């Protein structure tokens, strides 16, 4: 058995610190190496304990979790999992934390016993395992502002999938796209509670209109539709054009929403009139769907290993034969628009 994952817990609630500690104490492969009630205590604790991963509360006295996270990512980058309350304010702050570089987030449980806590413990363990094995390299180069390559009415669309590290990458891409860009459909692995805040933040940060997808929404140039966090999103077509289908159903490739569900539907409905993009993430969701898109004539783009936080989903898509070109995040927005403007989506 390898070395245990060394976890430090930062939360102003003594009860929450105890709950997190007890949850990990029962799990092989973890060691809680420190506790702190606020960021000032945490700073000294991190120096002495040198943890592999940190759990961080969003709302704390003396210094809020977002300010502390920004300092961590600037001065001593390390994997951080945010622990937030299920409030609108908590959701907004958590999405901001993910933009700042937090690996993932988890909502605080309502109680310490029963199935809810068991589910919380399982989710916490899974997220910490992922966080402990991510690669945090030097700050990535943000994309340059992309020039319009194709305007509305071209019939082209872009389908994008991401997981761990995806929140900040999606923001970076959308921030540089011009008005009138081809419509974009996004599946980001994220809890349902956080998706409305994610969409609202992106809408403020982008020249495009960003909304959480609802059943029957039209797929329109200049708009971005993000899958709800607890249901699949698929593309359909009627006599008037493309529209979204939101469906219940079991997880696909381990996830709901699933990138594979979106990509497979895009391959079937849009074929060569689509561009596929797969970004940082753990696992293989999107691999078979991107292979289907590629086989249907779509141009497909994978984020390269050096750029990813977790080179999982792009790697599996590449191994499945679905990635036409790999590149760092900074080059992806321009390539998306170039491919969407090309005479055929598979042209080079």
């Amino acid at each position: 058995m390898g070395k245990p994952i060394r976890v430090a817990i930062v939360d102003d609630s003594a009860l929450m610190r105890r709950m997190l500690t007890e949850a990990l104490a029962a799990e092989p492969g973890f060691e809680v190496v420190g506790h702190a009630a606020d960021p000032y205590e945490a700073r000294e604790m991190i120096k002495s304990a040198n943890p592999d991963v940190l759990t961080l509360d969003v709302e704390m006295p003396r210094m809020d979790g977002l300010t502390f996270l920004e300092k961590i990512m600037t001065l001593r980058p390390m994997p951080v999992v945010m622990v937030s309350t299920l409030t609108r304010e908590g959701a907004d702050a958590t999405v901001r934390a993910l933009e700042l570089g937090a690996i993932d987030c988890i909502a605080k449980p309502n109680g310490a016993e029963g199935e809810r806590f068991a589910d919380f413990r399982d989710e916490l363990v899974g997220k910490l395992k992922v966080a402990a094995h991510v690669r945090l390299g030097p700050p990535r180069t943000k994309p340059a502002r992309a020039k319009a390559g194709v305007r509305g009415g071209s019939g082209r669309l872009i389908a994008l999938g991401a997981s761990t590290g995806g929140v900040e990458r999606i923001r970076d891409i959308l921030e540089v796209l011009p008005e009138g860009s081809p419509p974009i459909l996004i599946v980001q692995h994220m809890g349902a509670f956080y998706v409305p805040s994610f969409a609202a933040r992106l809408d403020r940060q982008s020249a495009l209109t960003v909304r959480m997808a609802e059943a029957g929404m039209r797929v329109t140039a200049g708009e971005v539709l993000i899958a709800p966090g607890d249901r699949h999103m698929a593309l359909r077509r009627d006599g008037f054009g493309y529209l979204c289908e939101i469906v219940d159903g079991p997880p696909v490739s381990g996830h709901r929403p699933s990138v594979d569900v979106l990509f497979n539907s895009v391959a079937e409905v849009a074929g060569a009139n689509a561009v596929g993009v797969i970004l940082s993430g753990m696992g293989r969701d999107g691999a078979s769907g991107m292979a289907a898109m590629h086989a249907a004539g779509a141009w497909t783009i994978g984020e390269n290993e050096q750029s990813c936080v977790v080179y999982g989903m792009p790697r599996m898509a590449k191994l499945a034969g679905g990635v036409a070109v790999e590149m760092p995040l900074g080059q992806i927005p321009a390539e998306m628009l170039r491919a969407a403007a090309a005479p055929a989506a598979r042209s080079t």
Side-chain angles (χ1 to χ4, degrees):
M1 189 173 178
K3 293 182 179 179
I5 297 171
R6 295 164 51 82
V7 181
I9 296 168
V10 184
D11 199 296
D12 66 324
S13 165
L15 174 62
M16 184 55 58
R17 294 196 301 272
R18 178 174 64 81
M19 289 174 64
L20 292 171
T21 300
E22 290 177 354
L24 296 176
E27 188 69 26
F30 285 90
E31 179 185 0
V32 177
V33 297
H35 304 86
D38 64 49
Y40 292 95
E41 289 182 15
R43 183 175 56 190
E44 300 306 316
M45 180 264 292
I46 290 170
K47 289 179 182 178
S48 60
N50 192 30
D52 298 317
V53 61
L54 189 74
T55 72
L56 179 60
D57 188 13
V58 172
E59 299 173 356
M60 289 183 295
R62 301 178 70 190
M63 181 190 297
D64 67 87
L66 292 180
T67 301
F68 185 52
L69 176 66
E70 195 163 13
K71 291 179 181 294
I72 290 174
M73 291 304 171
T74 302
L75 302 174
R76 190 192 185 283
M78 65 181 299
V80 176
V81 173
M82 304 302 295
V83 182
S84 68
T85 55
L86 282 175
T87 64
R88 170 65 185 274
E89 292 76 15
D92 290 345
T94 300
V95 173
R96 172 59 180 153
L98 294 171
E99 291 177 349
L100 289 171
I103 300 303
D104 214 327
C105 61
I106 185 169
K108 291 184 176 182
N110 292 325
E113 297 180 359
E115 288 186 14
R116 288 186 179 180
F117 184 72
D119 291 343
F120 168 78
R121 181 183 63 238
D122 293 344
E123 185 180 1
L124 174 68
V125 165
K127 291 179 184 297
L128 290 176
K129 284 181 178 178
V130 171
H133 293 96
V134 303
R135 184 187 65 244
L136 293 178
R140 67 195 183 286
T141 301
K142 283 197 171 189
R145 185 155 296 280
K147 296 179 181 179
V150 60
R151 307 301 289 180
S154 70
R156 294 285 174 81
L157 61 88
I158 297 167
L160 186 153
S163 187
T164 308
V167 168
E168 53 185 335
R169 282 158 172 74
I170 290 169
R171 177 206 58 194
D172 287 354
I173 288 173
L174 297 189
E175 276 185 337
V176 301
L177 294 180
E179 287 184 83
S181 293
I184 303 174
L185 303 177
I186 295 176
V187 170
Q188 163 69 43
H189 295 159
M190 174 183 280
F193 183 74
Y194 301 103
V195 175
S197 289
F198 181 42
R201 286 187 62 82
L202 291 172
D203 187 61
R204 294 192 296 269
Q205 295 162 342
S206 170
L208 306 175
T209 299
V210 184
R211 296 186 288 174
M212 186 175 78
E214 297 178 7
M217 276 186 171
R218 289 288 166 187
V219 177
T220 306
E223 294 195 358
V224 179
L225 299 179
I226 301 177
D230 55 356
R231 289 175 292 167
H232 298 300
M233 177 170 69
L235 182 70
R236 293 291 177 261
R237 186 166 195 160
D238 63 13
F240 300 97
Y242 297 123
L243 65 156
C244 271
E245 183 178 22
I246 305 299
V247 295
D248 294 319
V252 174
S253 302
H255 295 278
R256 186 178 60 230
S258 167
V259 180
D260 273 327
V261 169
L262 173 62
F263 282 4
N264 278 313
S265 70
V266 170
E268 179 182 350
V269 174
N273 285 322
V275 177
V277 182
I278 194 158
L279 303 177
S280 176
M282 178 71 75
R284 62 174 301 112
D285 188 25
S288 65
M290 181 160 269
M293 286 186 65
H294 186 63
W299 185 248
T300 51
I301 305 164
E303 185 179 1
N304 70 9
E305 183 173 7
Q306 294 72 30
S307 177
C308 284
V309 170
V310 180
Y311 184 58
M313 287 163 51
R315 175 177 177 271
M316 297 309 294
K318 181 180 179 181
L319 291 175
V323 175
V325 60
E326 271 195 330
M327 56 183 54
L329 178 75
Q331 298 176 18
I332 288 177
E335 177 66 10
M336 286 164 46
L337 296 186
R338 183 208 68 80
R346 294 192 73 154
S347 66
T348 58

